[in-house]
Amino acid sequence: MALNRDFIGRSFPPSEPYEVSRVKIREFADAIGDRNPVYRDREAAKAAGYPDVIAPPTFPIVVSLGNPGLADPDLGLNYAMVVHGEQRFEYTRPLRAGDVITCTSTITEIRSIGNNEKMVVETEIATVEGEPVCKSYNTIVERGA
């Protein structure tokens, strides 16, 4: 079944605040196999010019697609058939330990590609104080729609 085109341009309310911790940053770095000390050691991060450890560039995926609006049954997305199509990030500044962030997602594109449905979700990630951190662009594909 095709995704509901009425969702194109729809923005969802900001997510619940998420506190970025040193532990979560280290766990993520471990999961992706990145041993960079700026992700683990506060002193190494300070020596590199950061106030605390920073998160790997792909860390925002942890929070960027968690908006409950994407699970709206009216959208018609079958998560059992979803594969990751593409992902990229545009940074204003690195995400760092101690940041408390929210994500505001907008569906910017839905289109058919053969028997598949492609959906692009743009997510603005900012601190709870409103400071922009980065934008996430995620393309997901629902197979055999």
Side-chain angles (χ1 to χ4, degrees), residues 1 3 70 75-83 141-145:
M1 183 168 100
L3 296 177
L70 297 175
L75 174 59
L77 184 63
N78 178 355
Y79 276 98
M81 299 304 290
V82 166
V83 294
V141 177
E142 181 185 32
R143 299 171 294 133

Side-chain angles (χ1 to χ4, degrees), residues 33-132:
D34 195 326
R35 304 297 305 165
N36 189 327
V38 298
Y39 306 147
R40 303 163 185 288
D41 180 347
R42 189 175 189 183
E43 294 309 313
K46 284 184 175 184
Y50 303 108
D52 207 328
V53 297
I54 61 169
T58 56
F59 182 89
I61 195 64
V62 170
V63 293
S64 66
L65 282 178
N67 192 302
L70 297 175
D72 185 326
D74 290 336
L75 174 59
L77 184 63
N78 178 355
Y79 276 98
M81 299 304 290
V82 166
V83 294
H84 190 140
E86 182 181 352
Q87 164 186 320
R88 69 183 171 90
F89 301 93
E90 291 177 359
Y91 274 87
T92 303
R93 68 155 175 86
L95 193 57
R96 55 189 178 238
D99 281 338
V100 180
I101 58 172
T102 61
C103 301
T104 304
S105 297
T106 302
I107 296 174
T108 58
E109 179 184 341
I110 298 174
R111 67 184 174 106
S112 297
I113 301 174
N115 289 332
N116 302 317
E117 289 285 282
K118 172 187 170 187
M119 180 171 71
V120 178
V121 181
E122 186 176 310
T123 302
E124 295 196 24
I125 299 161
T127 66
V128 291
E129 294 82 20
E131 178 188 5

Side-chain angles (χ1 to χ4, degrees), residues 5-52:
R5 277 26 180 195
D6 291 340
F7 277 71
I8 298 171
R10 186 175 294 187
S11 292
F12 302 98
S15 64
E16 291 294 318
Y18 177 90
E19 185 172 352
V20 180
S21 71
R22 287 186 198 109
V23 170
K24 289 297 181 189
I25 291 172
R26 185 179 60 249
E27 289 173 349
F28 188 86
D30 287 346
I32 63 171
D34 195 326
R35 304 297 305 165
N36 189 327
V38 298
Y39 306 147
R40 303 163 185 288
D41 180 347
R42 189 175 189 183
E43 294 309 313
K46 284 184 175 184
Y50 303 108
D52 207 328

